[in-house]
Amino acid sequence: MKKNTIDSTRVIDIPRIVDEGGRGNLSVIEKDCIPFKIERVYYLYDVPIDAYRGGHAHKNLKQFLVPLSGSFDVILKDGKNTKTVTLNKPNKGLLIVPGIWRELENFSSGAVCLVLASEVYNEDDYIRDFQDFVIAKKSTE
Ligand code: T46
């Protein structure tokens, strides 16, 4: 389990190209915008307003969450501290480093959460029990 704290998670601005002809915006994630190579892309959508996603930590996975549409809250925990980040702009994404518990809630109607991930899917990388997570974090102190 990585020693990271919630201070290691951060919102990153995604470059935005505003069309001068009034055709709207274009945002692009390339080169060094995020600090890992993308190995997987998935997205959450049609999430009911009262539904809850996440509720786990990753041992090694880095992820970048982008609210392509609508908004939702991401609750981050490191075993000691908690912070909530509201994502509601398609040109601002949240970097979540390994060793951080995350919960996603308060999805607005029509919200879409794009996730760029540093590894392919691997269930062994998940810690899905919060007490196990807290114990694993304590062992890094
Ligand atoms: C995370 C949050 C933001 C796959 O087969 N492949 C995949 O790439 C993923 C992500 C999931 N799955 C399967 C595993 C489960 O049977 O899809 C099902 C739902 O996955 P889970 O309950 O983990 O979904 P969320 O929305 O609670 O969590 C997901 C990611 O798993 C997680 O890494 O940070 O989105």
Side-chain angles (χ1 to χ4, degrees):
M1 172 61 67
K2 300 276 195 267
K3 210 173 174 171
N4 292 324
T5 70
I6 52 172
D7 292 335
S8 314
T9 65
R10 62 192 160 98
V11 171
I12 294 176
D13 285 334
I14 304 166
R16 180 171 59 142
I17 301 165
V18 181
D19 190 85
E20 291 183 357
R23 297 182 303 156
N25 300 325
L26 184 157
S27 278
V28 56
I29 299 168
E30 62 176 353
K31 292 184 183 163
D32 302 325
C33 180
I34 55 173
F36 60 83
K37 188 168 171 289
I38 300 163
E39 291 291 341
R40 177 167 51 113
V41 176
Y42 63 93
Y43 40 98
L44 306 173
Y45 57 101
D46 290 345
V47 181
I49 285 169
D50 58 353
Y52 157 99
R53 311 264 343 182
H56 51 251
H58 285 282
K59 297 173 193 165
N60 292 305
L61 189 71
K62 295 174 193 155
Q63 299 202 104
F64 187 61
L65 278 56
V66 184
L68 285 189
S69 179
S71 66
F72 51 88
D73 294 336
V74 186
I75 298 153
L76 302 162
K77 300 179 181 177
D78 59 18
K80 282 192 169 162
N81 295 303
T82 299
K83 78 174 172 185
T84 300
V85 178
T86 298
L87 291 178
N88 56 12
K89 292 191 172 62
N91 66 322
K92 286 184 189 294
L94 175 66
L95 174 70
I96 308 181
V97 293
I100 301 294
W101 187 268
R102 84 287 318 267
E103 297 160 6
L104 282 71
E105 61 180 32
N106 284 336
F107 282 81
S108 68
S109 173
V112 179
C113 172
L114 176 75
V115 184
L116 309 180
S118 66
E119 312 285 343
V120 296
Y121 177 72
N122 175 10
E123 186 58 36
D124 291 343
D125 191 66
Y126 285 74
I127 299 180
R128 291 190 182 271
D129 181 271
F130 188 68
Q131 285 315 315
D132 290 349
F133 168 72
V134 172
I135 290 166
K137 289 301 275 186
K138 278 217 168 84
S139 71
T140 66
E141 288 174 1

